[in-house]
Amino acid sequence: MNDAVLVIGSTGTTGSRVTTFLRERGVRVREATRKPVGPDQVRFDWADTSTHAEALRGVDRIYLVGPIGVAEPVPLVEPFLAGAPDVRRVVLLSSSAVPEGAPGMGELASLVRTRVPEWAVLRPSWFMQNFAGEHPVAQGIRDRGEIVTATGDGRVAFVDAADIAAVAGHALIDAVPHNTAHVITGPDALSYAEAAAIIGEASGLDVVHRPVEVSEFIELLVRNGIPADFADMLAGLDEDIRGGAENRVTDTVGRVTGSPARSFAEFVKTHF
């Protein structure tokens, strides 16, 4: 493979890290973004089909982050892939919470698997980065010293975005196509109470997990400006966690990259 990799969402949490991974290995990258600022970036907007052809020029592989906040992404992504006859490999960012074939993002997995000969679907667990930066979880820690969820004692094997990007990078450049779905987790499944304790110990902050019922969580999200239908979806994911849906640890990071997945404690030490 001598052509370029198109990285969609190249300025995002995983896309920026995928771009770095590829460039460090001498791979040509076309960085797709809605607001390009340099010669290595190309304008791309899922909703503006006039940007698609130029983004695909000289590309034979794609790191595909689907349109954000779109309930039915297939009508946008399907013609995009149909207009990319030179693309042989696609690595799709999905989620551990979304099985293949589920409405919305789950349908993208089926689309990619059947449209290109070489593919991988990444199904990462919840990002460790949610506890830092501008994410609402991080804001709650900073502003109120609490993490509010409807997850109860449910556990999540939080994963570092850098580990997700490393798996993606290998899936894009390995000589043998992966042709599989990768469930990507960190090395430990933690409850939010345990995560709060780790943050508190590392930072010296008083941080607690405040569990609430699903209905209260929906009301809280709506009061904070989240649309009601999206709040219902987010609360449903928390309810799934409460029921054990994310209480699993995989060896994907170590098996694919050759390096162990970063622990939550290691992440916290560098961010708090």
Side-chain angles (χ1 to χ4, degrees):
M1 296 181 182
N2 296 314
D3 288 344
V5 177
L6 176 67
V7 176
I8 296 176
S10 63
T11 61
T13 302
T14 62
S16 60
R17 291 168 171 83
V18 171
T19 296
T20 298
F21 178 97
L22 296 173
R23 291 199 184 283
E24 288 176 347
R25 288 155 180 80
V27 179
R28 290 201 306 121
V29 180
R30 287 178 70 77
E31 302 176 37
T33 176
R34 283 181 294 179
K35 297 180 179 180
V37 295
D40 294 327
Q41 296 185 339
V42 60
R43 183 170 179 267
F44 179 84
D45 188 332
W46 280 114
D48 184 355
T49 58
S50 69
T51 66
H52 295 186
E54 176 59 22
L56 288 165
R57 183 171 55 84
V59 165
D60 69 348
R61 288 156 289 172
I62 300 173
Y63 178 65
L64 198 159
V65 178
I68 305 299
V70 176
E72 298 294 337
V74 168
L76 288 173
V77 179
E78 188 169 24
F80 171 73
L81 292 179
D86 296 330
V87 171
R88 292 192 53 79
R89 183 176 296 190
V90 174
V91 175
L92 170 69
L93 178 66
S94 185
S95 166
S96 61
V98 182
E100 180 174 341
M105 190 186 298
E107 295 173 329
L108 287 184
S110 302
L111 175 66
V112 166
R113 183 172 55 80
T114 57
R115 276 302 180 99
V116 291
E118 302 175 0
W119 59 276
V121 175
L122 310 184
R123 298 184 60 215
S125 186
W126 267 238
F127 291 15
M128 292 180 185
Q129 278 69 19
N130 291 354
F131 293 86
E134 299 306 314
H135 191 276
V137 171
Q139 292 176 346
I141 293 171
R142 289 194 302 268
D143 297 344
R144 301 180 302 279
E146 66 177 13
I147 303 169
V148 182
T149 79
T151 60
D153 295 326
R155 294 176 176 271
V156 179
F158 301 105
V159 61
D160 191 341
D163 287 332
I164 301 169
V167 174
H170 280 280
L172 287 162
I173 68 175
D174 284 353
V176 177
H178 292 194
N179 288 4
T180 192
H182 289 303
V183 177
I184 309 172
T185 75
D188 305 295
L190 304 169
S191 69
Y192 275 93
E194 290 170 328
I198 291 171
I199 293 170
E201 182 177 355
S203 66
L205 301 172
D206 291 326
V207 182
V208 298
H209 173 230
R210 180 162 69 88
V212 298
E213 295 301 317
V214 170
S215 58
E216 183 180 349
F217 190 57
I218 293 172
E219 292 174 3
L220 177 65
L221 294 174
V222 171
R223 285 201 305 270
N224 283 289
I226 304 297
D229 56 348
F230 194 54
D232 286 344
M233 185 273 290
L234 292 176
L237 294 177
D238 270 23
E239 192 169 23
D240 290 343
I241 291 172
R242 184 196 293 256
E246 295 298 322
N247 188 7
R248 56 183 169 183
V249 172
T250 69
D251 66 349
T252 301
V253 174
R255 179 167 43 81
V256 173
T257 73
S259 299
R262 191 182 195 186
S263 72
F264 186 73
E266 291 170 334
F267 173 83
V268 167
K269 286 178 183 178
T270 62
H271 288 80
F272 287 89

